Amino acid sequence: MAAKKVGILGATGTVGQRFILLLSEHPIFTIHALGASSRSAGKEYKDAVRWKQSKPIPDNVKNMIVKPCEAELFADCDVVFSGLDADVAGDIEMAMLKKDIAVFSNAKNYRRDPIVPLIVPTVNSDHFDLIPHQRSVHNLKKGFLITNANCSTTGLVVPLKALQDAFGPLSHVIVNTQQAISGAGYPGVPSLDILDNIVPHIGGEEEKMEWEVGKILGGVSENKNGFNLLENTIVSATCTRVPVLDGHFETVSVKFANDCPSVEDVCKALENYSSEAEKLQCHSAPAQPIVVTYDADRPQPRLDRENLKGQTVTVGRVRKCPVLDIKFVLLVHNTLLGAAGSSVLNAEIAVAKGLI
Amino acid sequence: MAAKKVGILGATGTVGQRFILLLSEHPIFTIHALGASSRSAGKEYKDAVRWKQSKPIPDNVKNMIVKPCEAELFADCDVVFSGLDADVAGDIEMAMLKKDIAVFSNAKNYRRDPIVPLIVPTVNSDHFDLIPHQRSVHNLKKGFLITNANCSTTGLVVPLKALQDAFGPLSHVIVNTQQAISGAGYPGVPSLDILDNIVPHIGGEEEKMEWEVGKILGGVSENKNGFNLLENTIVSATCTRVPVLDGHFETVSVKFANDCPSVEDVCKALENYSSEAEKLQCHSAPAQPIVVTYDADRPQPRLDRENLKGQTVTVGRVRKCPVLDIKFVLLVHNTLLGAAGSSVLNAEIAVAKGLI
Amino acid sequence: MAAKKVGILGATGTVGQRFILLLSEHPIFTIHALGASSRSAGKEYKDAVRWKQSKPIPDNVKNMIVKPCEAELFADCDVVFSGLDADVAGDIEMAMLKKDIAVFSNAKNYRRDPIVPLIVPTVNSDHFDLIPHQRSVHNLKKGFLITNANCSTTGLVVPLKALQDAFGPLSHVIVNTQQAISGAGYPGVPSLDILDNIVPHIGGEEEKMEWEVGKILGGVSENKNGFNLLENTIVSATCTRVPVLDGHFETVSVKFANDCPSVEDVCKALENYSSEAEKLQCHSAPAQPIVVTYDADRPQPRLDRENLKGQTVTVGRVRKCPVLDIKFVLLVHNTLLGAAGSSVLNAEIAVAKGLI
Amino acid sequence: MAAKKVGILGATGTVGQRFILLLSEHPIFTIHALGASSRSAGKEYKDAVRWKQSKPIPDNVKNMIVKPCEAELFADCDVVFSGLDADVAGDIEMAMLKKDIAVFSNAKNYRRDPIVPLIVPTVNSDHFDLIPHQRSVHNLKKGFLITNANCSTTGLVVPLKALQDAFGPLSHVIVNTQQAISGAGYPGVPSLDILDNIVPHIGGEEEKMEWEVGKILGGVSENKNGFNLLENTIVSATCTRVPVLDGHFETVSVKFANDCPSVEDVCKALENYSSEAEKLQCHSAPAQPIVVTYDADRPQPRLDRENLKGQTVTVGRVRKCPVLDIKFVLLVHNTLLGAAGSSVLNAEIAVAKGLI
């Protein structure tokens, strides 16, 4: 199979930089075009970007000329990954879609669109079933638009899905996040705000978490033209920013609609959970969507965020919750599975399903 | 009134250092004796201590000779404050008590003792009513033993008490803590564990929080010889350590046994809450036991931990909880109101009540 | 003496906030006017500012209406303190000066001006002698313009002055700085750049340090109409940014033009150094311009930056340098003595000298 | 060639953990024995260690039984790497040597021994020439003892050697270090000492740097039975600890005995420098011993410490020093090239030279 040509929108941003690292040596994708704002367009990538990764800029990308994010300039791409900010993502991604391009977006703009799948790759890849309907609505042959979830939502829904599959619906979820600074991009969080400090507010984040869970854990409608949002799983989120570079940490309490399973059964269900991404043998699929730790003081961001190349969710401290049923803590790499890693794996799934 | 002579046990430790700063210029207490381990005993304080405060050692303490923590050496103290570690606090504090000394302990050892009050000064100073009974049991004239609460419990119970007073019992509480490193003493948390990291476990902390709330928010029995532990308020705690120097931050969701009040009424109840400590005009009583902030991103440890000299609890982001009733975040200075500051205020209350 | 009315330019910035804290309860100055950019003008201060101090906004300032920085709006001020950014400070400060106002600037714009004194208050308050000449040039009656030094320069010149006074000229100085993030203002240094990191470059800082020393440590010309820049003291600076909130730390090696004194004599000279600011009994003058520490691991930013209210320079680890003569480390509070604190003390000196 | 069996002493410590990561998949070494204190001996490695690396414990090491550090238990090892603390390293390493084992030590104990080479692998691998003499003194057939340098010394001597080779002897060097916390091992630096702080003292570090340079940059005596210490290169060091996890950062000023070369020539000399380790095609030799950066704000610990797998020294900001001749900054990974990485590369060189 010939490598698929990919474009990266918002290529100079934090998520864009992760896309470049993930795709520069990818077995089925090859970086073909880079898009960024007009300030960067026309420059070589190495001159346009403020590179903030600990690995250097890949050689095959350094001298690529950055383009403006105009759809016609990406028309020869098989796939476009978007790390654009929400204030520009809406128009640009729609223009790309209308050019019949397969678009994988990290932005929030279309997550609530009733015909756009919101896919966490190790959770609800069955939502790709809606693509034929989406294409017919937009009158497309090969293009489509997929979004991935908010980084904190992503970490949460993987274990929730495992629990829902094993024990039936969850009635209530209370989640608290301690989110890494890389989630805010660059320049992002001022150091004066976060050294020796916690910021107990991230604009819009709690609302996203409370809503997105219902779309992701819900199903596709019978005739594949819409989504059945979960209505009986209530989520309450509190989101904070902490002085950690990478890795969102979350504490979670859940209540089951049915009987509460034992801690042992919960651990077993989390460990045994597997997703379609592994079955399709996708390159970026983790060996396990969930790693369960039994050490009392794990997971920790610095030690566990790179687990399974940052594509798994690490769950620990599973125990009874005196108020709801079960509580646990989790860690997700916010710019890998929580952002660029989800998009890339979603695209691999789409290729495996013959959609690209 | 002549100044009361006070002794400080564990004077070289983190809590001991705070005691010294709080008491070196106190209007009714004067530092009379310092106790520490045999390693420090016999040395001048300045040579025995590894001082880690940003204010210098007070001049009137620098050259005091540290004593071993033997009861007879503190017999001429009116009050003894204990910042001892739990592994030695039990025996030493009991020996002091038996010498008829008034002992205010920060250690966990006697918190669950059925005749020892566990007092957060702005919450349950009525628990001093048990002292006559305690004295009769131990056959004492002027001595008694009071403990204050775990630092994280302390931050939590102040707003819970305000809510309980205003709206009746709470049925359920879910609390998550993000605790400062100073809570672990010195050397305490290794920097390799906490820089760019979160540690999701603090030994025994969750159990303390879940249990202590019931004693503190419960009442004294009718004949003043025991405590009525709250049985119908269920608490679920998850405790984590974060890279913050001072100030424990907590996110809280509560459910009321009765109808849920409005957010406005909750804010009003928190703001209007006052305690006996203010009414008694104690020196260290905060002007308000609770400060409510309305900025979306407050309280923050670095900006708010010194509010009202670290003796208040700052509450923010009061809002509806989709799962329980109301959620909010709070901040408490863990070594001031959360430790030494509680002890000192408790002792001031005891003086005001004529117990010392 | 009636309180002098002061205006604060750049009142919403990091330095401006420090000015407000220093001046809100000042015995001889009273805050009369606040100036900021057109974005803030017309708003109440509390709504215009993003307050980042651990002490709250003083009540007497909260509701003051912020003005644009136009000279006529500050004409009734006796003194204007400027915390303006360099890109606007030049024009605005000159306009204020021409309105016959006494201006104390933190900006770099006029530091190299041949008739503007560059004064570190505990070092070269004799440079006020040039004011009559400056007034005559600008045709002023009561106005004048004084700048204070770069924050890192300020920390360095205090001990250099003490050594120069005691042992004659220094021929060579090598200095390395480790500078706090608050020196960069707000939003300033992105957290992604500084958590778990060092940034080995601060634009223009090394040049400022290498040049400013020569003006500050030089004298006023005999007829009081210019400055004699030191030409035989060569300075080499390397400046870095580190993850510390407040307090610039510097390591220094010096070579004397004459014989090298003993370490003991150097310590004595530093400890015994005193300045005109103390002799004039200025409110903000530190009891000692230099505090010498003898502990092997001091000074440390977190423990020593508040020494003598942040108006002193703490020097430690004085010892022989195998390459030059003597080496030591020092700490200066970058927003107190290193910025707003210098300006305020300079103004107090000017009042004491009858210039205001 | 059959893989060489290696033992690791101090296997549970910070340096020991790095040895394990470096050696678990090594082409010519295979981990054969692990040694640690009696507290760990007898346990499986995974139970004995507090693993603090972001990569998990290699599977082939997890269940190895840790041994006490007794020489007879390591007699079947071809090589022993020692990450022991200095208080026990002296006796244990000597016992291993007397068992005719090739010992590569990270400890300071034998660095000043007149017949023990002190080798930084990309600097002075010619010091292996002394091994025949060492063997004859100790009456050994295949054993010998090599130490590597202090971590900060290691970063410094690589560029110094390049400059010395290109431009002749250096007469003076002034170096300031900003050292990472991982250099102090675990538990190491208490977080209360280093969050929002700098500690300006690391016991013995400055003396090590000032002395070790002279041995490493000096030559082997003509008859290969001793070392000619450099006497005319004077080094002055100031060492500080900063809140960075990995990567020692240093600022350096040097003076040449001969004429000062141009900045361009210095950069060229640094970039073109190569060592015997590359020529011998050793597995762990970096492609370049020195990477030169030309960005004004590089190197930075977080972004550059992994350059060339942590086996290179990154040098930046090369420019004229107004006091000495040339100044620059550098970064070295303190637990890779600065510790375990040097030992492993030294052992690879020894194999290539036929000494093992």
Side-chain angles (χ1 to χ4, degrees), chain C residues 176 192 196-197 206 236-237 245 251 300-302 305 317 319 327, chain D residues 176 192 196-197 200 206 236-238 245 251 300-302 305 317 327:
Chain C
N176 284 271
L192 270 177
D196 182 23
N197 210 15
E206 297 172 357
S236 174
L245 280 158
T251 67
Q300 295 177 14
R302 192 169 74 77
R305 61 195 170 202
R317 302 203 68 216
R319 58 213 196 284
K327 56 183 173 180
Chain D
N176 284 269
L192 271 178
D196 182 23
N197 210 14
E206 296 171 357
S236 174
T238 298
L245 281 157
T251 67
Q300 295 177 14
R302 193 169 73 78
R305 61 195 169 202
R317 304 202 66 216
K327 57 183 173 179

mmCIF file of all heavy atoms in Angstrom, chain C residues 176 192 196-197 206 236-237 245 251 300-302 305 317 319 327, chain D residues 176 192 196-197 200 206 236-238 245 251 300-302 305 317 327:
data_model
loop_
_atom_site.group_PDB
_atom_site.id
_atom_site.type_symbol
_atom_site.label_atom_id
_atom_site.label_comp_id
_atom_site.label_asym_id
_atom_site.label_seq_id
_atom_site.Cartn_x
_atom_site.Cartn_y
_atom_site.Cartn_z
ATOM 1 N N ASN C 176 27.639 35.782 37.330
ATOM 2 C CA ASN C 176 26.625 34.913 36.726
ATOM 3 C C ASN C 176 25.341 35.078 37.486
ATOM 4 O O ASN C 176 25.349 34.979 38.716
ATOM 5 C CB ASN C 176 27.066 33.455 36.823
ATOM 6 C CG ASN C 176 28.127 33.138 35.814
ATOM 7 O OD1 ASN C 176 27.820 32.749 34.703
ATOM 8 N ND2 ASN C 176 29.390 33.344 36.196
ATOM 9 N N LEU C 192 5.910 26.578 30.183
ATOM 10 C CA LEU C 192 6.548 25.507 29.404
ATOM 11 C C LEU C 192 8.042 25.771 29.217
ATOM 12 O O LEU C 192 8.802 24.847 28.943
ATOM 13 C CB LEU C 192 5.903 25.390 28.014
ATOM 14 C CG LEU C 192 4.719 24.446 27.900
ATOM 15 C CD1 LEU C 192 4.154 24.489 26.487
ATOM 16 C CD2 LEU C 192 5.081 23.014 28.266
ATOM 17 N N ASP C 196 11.149 22.673 35.309
ATOM 18 C CA ASP C 196 12.196 21.665 35.056
ATOM 19 C C ASP C 196 13.187 22.181 34.011
ATOM 20 O O ASP C 196 13.611 21.438 33.136
ATOM 21 C CB ASP C 196 11.534 20.351 34.595
ATOM 22 C CG ASP C 196 12.530 19.223 34.355
ATOM 23 O OD1 ASP C 196 13.639 19.278 34.925
ATOM 24 O OD2 ASP C 196 12.199 18.303 33.596
ATOM 25 N N ASN C 197 13.552 23.450 34.104
ATOM 26 C CA ASN C 197 14.386 24.019 33.041
ATOM 27 C C ASN C 197 15.144 25.269 33.504
ATOM 28 O O ASN C 197 14.868 25.820 34.569
ATOM 29 C CB ASN C 197 13.509 24.387 31.827
ATOM 30 C CG ASN C 197 14.248 24.284 30.518
ATOM 31 O OD1 ASN C 197 15.320 23.682 30.447
ATOM 32 N ND2 ASN C 197 13.704 24.875 29.482
ATOM 33 N N GLU C 206 22.784 41.185 29.953
ATOM 34 C CA GLU C 206 24.229 41.149 30.190
ATOM 35 C C GLU C 206 24.866 42.487 29.835
ATOM 36 O O GLU C 206 25.727 42.991 30.562
ATOM 37 C CB GLU C 206 24.853 40.005 29.384
ATOM 38 C CG GLU C 206 24.317 38.651 29.847
ATOM 39 C CD GLU C 206 24.729 37.479 28.972
ATOM 40 O OE1 GLU C 206 25.401 37.695 27.937
ATOM 41 O OE2 GLU C 206 24.372 36.338 29.314
ATOM 42 N N SER C 236 32.184 41.168 33.287
ATOM 43 C CA SER C 236 31.700 40.149 32.363
ATOM 44 C C SER C 236 30.511 39.451 32.990
ATOM 45 O O SER C 236 30.625 38.877 34.080
ATOM 46 C CB SER C 236 32.807 39.126 32.075
ATOM 47 O OG SER C 236 32.304 38.059 31.296
ATOM 48 N N ALA C 237 29.344 39.496 32.319
ATOM 49 C CA ALA C 237 28.111 38.951 32.903
ATOM 50 C C ALA C 237 27.527 37.849 32.038
ATOM 51 O O ALA C 237 27.555 37.929 30.805
ATOM 52 C CB ALA C 237 27.074 40.064 33.058
ATOM 53 N N LEU C 245 10.432 32.129 41.996
ATOM 54 C CA LEU C 245 9.437 33.195 41.865
ATOM 55 C C LEU C 245 10.042 34.581 42.060
ATOM 56 O O LEU C 245 9.853 35.461 41.230
ATOM 57 C CB LEU C 245 8.310 32.980 42.880
ATOM 58 C CG LEU C 245 7.298 31.929 42.430
ATOM 59 C CD1 LEU C 245 6.543 31.364 43.613
ATOM 60 C CD2 LEU C 245 6.325 32.534 41.411
ATOM 61 N N THR C 251 26.432 34.734 41.354
ATOM 62 C CA THR C 251 27.750 34.295 41.807
ATOM 63 C C THR C 251 28.771 35.258 41.210
ATOM 64 O O THR C 251 28.709 35.597 40.026
ATOM 65 C CB THR C 251 28.063 32.859 41.361
ATOM 66 O OG1 THR C 251 28.196 32.831 39.945
ATOM 67 C CG2 THR C 251 26.952 31.898 41.765
ATOM 68 N N GLN C 300 19.712 31.692 50.229
ATOM 69 C CA GLN C 300 18.808 30.979 49.335
ATOM 70 C C GLN C 300 17.624 31.900 49.029
ATOM 71 O O GLN C 300 17.111 32.561 49.940
ATOM 72 C CB GLN C 300 18.281 29.708 49.990
ATOM 73 C CG GLN C 300 19.353 28.667 50.276
ATOM 74 C CD GLN C 300 18.825 27.446 50.996
ATOM 75 O OE1 GLN C 300 17.622 27.241 51.061
ATOM 76 N NE2 GLN C 300 19.723 26.638 51.528
ATOM 77 N N PRO C 301 17.147 31.910 47.784
ATOM 78 C CA PRO C 301 16.064 32.839 47.447
ATOM 79 C C PRO C 301 14.854 32.743 48.365
ATOM 80 O O PRO C 301 14.376 33.753 48.880
ATOM 81 C CB PRO C 301 15.706 32.461 46.005
ATOM 82 C CG PRO C 301 16.983 31.919 45.444
ATOM 83 C CD PRO C 301 17.659 31.219 46.589
ATOM 84 N N ARG C 302 14.352 31.539 48.586
ATOM 85 C CA ARG C 302 13.098 31.418 49.326
ATOM 86 C C ARG C 302 13.255 31.829 50.788
ATOM 87 O O ARG C 302 12.339 32.370 51.400
ATOM 88 C CB ARG C 302 12.563 29.985 49.254
ATOM 89 C CG ARG C 302 11.138 29.855 49.754
ATOM 90 C CD ARG C 302 10.546 28.511 49.443
ATOM 91 N NE ARG C 302 11.067 27.472 50.283
ATOM 92 C CZ ARG C 302 10.704 27.264 51.559
ATOM 93 N NH1 ARG C 302 9.798 28.038 52.117
ATOM 94 N NH2 ARG C 302 11.231 26.289 52.249
ATOM 95 N N ARG C 305 15.132 36.156 50.644
ATOM 96 C CA ARG C 305 14.767 37.318 49.813
ATOM 97 C C ARG C 305 14.025 38.387 50.591
ATOM 98 O O ARG C 305 14.016 39.549 50.200
ATOM 99 C CB ARG C 305 13.945 36.863 48.600
ATOM 100 C CG ARG C 305 12.648 36.172 48.911
ATOM 101 C CD ARG C 305 12.090 35.448 47.668
ATOM 102 N NE ARG C 305 10.984 34.593 48.018
ATOM 103 C CZ ARG C 305 10.556 33.547 47.306
ATOM 104 N NH1 ARG C 305 11.163 33.229 46.178
ATOM 105 N NH2 ARG C 305 9.537 32.819 47.690
ATOM 106 N N ARG C 317 29.083 32.905 51.384
ATOM 107 C CA ARG C 317 30.157 32.103 50.805
ATOM 108 C C ARG C 317 31.334 32.957 50.303
ATOM 109 O O ARG C 317 31.901 32.700 49.230
ATOM 110 C CB ARG C 317 29.629 31.238 49.657
ATOM 111 C CG ARG C 317 28.491 30.299 50.117
ATOM 112 C CD ARG C 317 28.356 29.119 49.214
ATOM 113 N NE ARG C 317 29.519 28.275 49.357
ATOM 114 C CZ ARG C 317 30.091 27.607 48.375
ATOM 115 N NH1 ARG C 317 29.603 27.679 47.158
ATOM 116 N NH2 ARG C 317 31.151 26.880 48.580
ATOM 117 N N ARG C 319 34.943 33.773 49.804
ATOM 118 C CA ARG C 319 36.143 32.926 49.876
ATOM 119 C C ARG C 319 37.103 33.337 48.778
ATOM 120 O O ARG C 319 36.741 34.117 47.884
ATOM 121 C CB ARG C 319 35.762 31.447 49.769
ATOM 122 C CG ARG C 319 35.005 31.092 48.496
ATOM 123 C CD ARG C 319 33.992 29.975 48.767
ATOM 124 N NE ARG C 319 33.532 29.369 47.519
ATOM 125 C CZ ARG C 319 32.652 29.919 46.665
ATOM 126 N NH1 ARG C 319 32.143 31.112 46.892
ATOM 127 N NH2 ARG C 319 32.316 29.295 45.564
ATOM 128 N N LYS C 327 35.758 35.405 45.721
ATOM 129 C CA LYS C 327 34.453 35.105 45.134
ATOM 130 C C LYS C 327 33.409 35.008 46.234
ATOM 131 O O LYS C 327 33.718 34.745 47.392
ATOM 132 C CB LYS C 327 34.479 33.847 44.267
ATOM 133 C CG LYS C 327 34.964 32.555 44.898
ATOM 134 C CD LYS C 327 35.000 31.416 43.846
ATOM 135 C CE LYS C 327 35.657 30.165 44.420
ATOM 136 N NZ LYS C 327 35.717 29.051 43.450
ATOM 137 N N ASN D 176 30.671 28.145 36.774
ATOM 138 C CA ASN D 176 29.544 28.141 37.704
ATOM 139 C C ASN D 176 28.585 27.066 37.274
ATOM 140 O O ASN D 176 28.212 27.019 36.096
ATOM 141 C CB ASN D 176 28.811 29.481 37.652
ATOM 142 C CG ASN D 176 29.566 30.544 38.382
ATOM 143 O OD1 ASN D 176 29.356 30.748 39.565
ATOM 144 N ND2 ASN D 176 30.490 31.204 37.683
ATOM 145 N N LEU D 192 11.367 20.625 50.147
ATOM 146 C CA LEU D 192 11.273 21.921 50.841
ATOM 147 C C LEU D 192 12.516 22.776 50.607
ATOM 148 O O LEU D 192 12.486 23.983 50.768
ATOM 149 C CB LEU D 192 11.100 21.713 52.353
ATOM 150 C CG LEU D 192 9.670 21.585 52.864
ATOM 151 C CD1 LEU D 192 9.673 21.329 54.361
ATOM 152 C CD2 LEU D 192 8.847 22.832 52.568
ATOM 153 N N ASP D 196 10.943 26.495 44.285
ATOM 154 C CA ASP D 196 11.036 27.956 44.363
ATOM 155 C C ASP D 196 12.334 28.375 45.051
ATOM 156 O O ASP D 196 12.354 29.300 45.861
ATOM 157 C CB ASP D 196 9.811 28.502 45.107
ATOM 158 C CG ASP D 196 9.791 30.026 45.196
ATOM 159 O OD1 ASP D 196 10.426 30.680 44.360
ATOM 160 O OD2 ASP D 196 9.132 30.555 46.112
ATOM 161 N N ASN D 197 13.434 27.705 44.746
ATOM 162 C CA ASN D 197 14.661 27.978 45.485
ATOM 163 C C ASN D 197 15.914 27.553 44.721
ATOM 164 O O ASN D 197 15.840 26.848 43.705
ATOM 165 C CB ASN D 197 14.615 27.228 46.833
ATOM 166 C CG ASN D 197 15.387 27.940 47.922
ATOM 167 O OD1 ASN D 197 15.747 29.106 47.771
ATOM 168 N ND2 ASN D 197 15.660 27.249 48.994
ATOM 169 N N PRO D 200 22.976 27.146 47.247
ATOM 170 C CA PRO D 200 24.277 27.539 46.688
ATOM 171 C C PRO D 200 25.440 26.753 47.260
ATOM 172 O O PRO D 200 26.494 27.315 47.506
ATOM 173 C CB PRO D 200 24.371 29.009 47.064
ATOM 174 C CG PRO D 200 23.680 29.073 48.390
ATOM 175 C CD PRO D 200 22.571 28.050 48.334
ATOM 176 N N GLU D 206 32.941 21.689 44.537
ATOM 177 C CA GLU D 206 33.847 22.686 43.942
ATOM 178 C C GLU D 206 35.294 22.191 43.977
ATOM 179 O O GLU D 206 36.039 22.347 43.000
ATOM 180 C CB GLU D 206 33.699 24.026 44.681
ATOM 181 C CG GLU D 206 32.293 24.597 44.498
ATOM 182 C CD GLU D 206 31.982 25.810 45.363
ATOM 183 O OE1 GLU D 206 32.849 26.200 46.174
ATOM 184 O OE2 GLU D 206 30.877 26.360 45.231
ATOM 185 N N SER D 236 38.494 27.800 38.939
ATOM 186 C CA SER D 236 37.705 28.303 40.062
ATOM 187 C C SER D 236 36.252 27.917 39.827
ATOM 188 O O SER D 236 35.659 28.287 38.816
ATOM 189 C CB SER D 236 37.834 29.826 40.150
ATOM 190 O OG SER D 236 36.966 30.338 41.147
ATOM 191 N N ALA D 237 35.670 27.155 40.768
ATOM 192 C CA ALA D 237 34.302 26.640 40.582
ATOM 193 C C ALA D 237 33.374 27.134 41.674
ATOM 194 O O ALA D 237 33.751 27.224 42.839
ATOM 195 C CB ALA D 237 34.325 25.117 40.576
ATOM 196 N N THR D 238 32.140 27.433 41.296
ATOM 197 C CA THR D 238 31.049 27.688 42.235
ATOM 198 C C THR D 238 29.894 26.796 41.822
ATOM 199 O O THR D 238 29.487 26.816 40.656
ATOM 200 C CB THR D 238 30.609 29.164 42.187
ATOM 201 O OG1 THR D 238 31.719 29.978 42.591
ATOM 202 C CG2 THR D 238 29.438 29.419 43.122
ATOM 203 N N LEU D 245 15.245 18.491 37.044
ATOM 204 C CA LEU D 245 15.325 17.055 37.313
ATOM 205 C C LEU D 245 16.639 16.446 36.838
ATOM 206 O O LEU D 245 17.321 15.765 37.587
ATOM 207 C CB LEU D 245 14.148 16.330 36.646
ATOM 208 C CG LEU D 245 12.856 16.449 37.446
ATOM 209 C CD1 LEU D 245 11.640 16.235 36.564
ATOM 210 C CD2 LEU D 245 12.855 15.453 38.597
ATOM 211 N N THR D 251 28.108 27.647 33.314
ATOM 212 C CA THR D 251 28.591 28.822 32.592
ATOM 213 C C THR D 251 30.102 28.891 32.813
ATOM 214 O O THR D 251 30.578 28.726 33.932
ATOM 215 C CB THR D 251 27.926 30.113 33.095
ATOM 216 O OG1 THR D 251 28.338 30.371 34.426
ATOM 217 C CG2 THR D 251 26.404 29.999 33.069
ATOM 218 N N GLN D 300 19.167 24.303 26.815
ATOM 219 C CA GLN D 300 18.290 24.285 27.976
ATOM 220 C C GLN D 300 18.193 22.836 28.484
ATOM 221 O O GLN D 300 18.071 21.915 27.673
ATOM 222 C CB GLN D 300 16.890 24.771 27.608
ATOM 223 C CG GLN D 300 16.840 26.236 27.177
ATOM 224 C CD GLN D 300 15.452 26.690 26.753
ATOM 225 O OE1 GLN D 300 14.462 26.002 27.009
ATOM 226 N NE2 GLN D 300 15.378 27.830 26.095
ATOM 227 N N PRO D 301 18.192 22.643 29.807
ATOM 228 C CA PRO D 301 18.172 21.265 30.312
ATOM 229 C C PRO D 301 17.048 20.408 29.734
ATOM 230 O O PRO D 301 17.288 19.302 29.252
ATOM 231 C CB PRO D 301 18.020 21.450 31.827
ATOM 232 C CG PRO D 301 18.684 22.763 32.098
ATOM 233 C CD PRO D 301 18.367 23.621 30.887
ATOM 234 N N ARG D 302 15.814 20.913 29.794
ATOM 235 C CA ARG D 302 14.698 20.060 29.400
ATOM 236 C C ARG D 302 14.712 19.729 27.914
ATOM 237 O O ARG D 302 14.273 18.655 27.498
ATOM 238 C CB ARG D 302 13.357 20.742 29.750
ATOM 239 C CG ARG D 302 12.173 19.792 29.651
ATOM 240 C CD ARG D 302 10.916 20.376 30.229
ATOM 241 N NE ARG D 302 10.354 21.408 29.403
ATOM 242 C CZ ARG D 302 9.643 21.191 28.282
ATOM 243 N NH1 ARG D 302 9.414 19.974 27.873
ATOM 244 N NH2 ARG D 302 9.165 22.197 27.585
ATOM 245 N N ARG D 305 19.003 17.906 27.120
ATOM 246 C CA ARG D 305 19.756 16.901 27.892
ATOM 247 C C ARG D 305 19.788 15.536 27.215
ATOM 248 O O ARG D 305 20.682 14.739 27.480
ATOM 249 C CB ARG D 305 19.194 16.794 29.319
ATOM 250 C CG ARG D 305 17.767 16.363 29.417
ATOM 251 C CD ARG D 305 17.206 16.647 30.825
ATOM 252 N NE ARG D 305 15.764 16.470 30.860
ATOM 253 C CZ ARG D 305 14.954 17.018 31.755
ATOM 254 N NH1 ARG D 305 15.421 17.794 32.700
ATOM 255 N NH2 ARG D 305 13.659 16.802 31.736
ATOM 256 N N ARG D 317 26.104 29.739 23.178
ATOM 257 C CA ARG D 317 26.444 31.118 23.554
ATOM 258 C C ARG D 317 27.959 31.356 23.641
ATOM 259 O O ARG D 317 28.434 32.047 24.562
ATOM 260 C CB ARG D 317 25.759 31.514 24.867
ATOM 261 C CG ARG D 317 24.234 31.340 24.801
ATOM 262 C CD ARG D 317 23.534 32.200 25.821
ATOM 263 N NE ARG D 317 23.730 33.602 25.485
ATOM 264 C CZ ARG D 317 23.891 34.574 26.361
ATOM 265 N NH1 ARG D 317 23.888 34.314 27.647
ATOM 266 N NH2 ARG D 317 24.076 35.806 25.942
ATOM 267 N N LYS D 327 33.812 33.100 26.679
ATOM 268 C CA LYS D 327 32.862 32.497 27.610
ATOM 269 C C LYS D 327 31.801 31.726 26.840
ATOM 270 O O LYS D 327 31.548 32.008 25.664
ATOM 271 C CB LYS D 327 32.250 33.525 28.565
ATOM 272 C CG LYS D 327 31.532 34.710 27.962
ATOM 273 C CD LYS D 327 31.052 35.675 29.086
ATOM 274 C CE LYS D 327 30.467 36.967 28.511
ATOM 275 N NZ LYS D 327 29.986 37.889 29.559
#
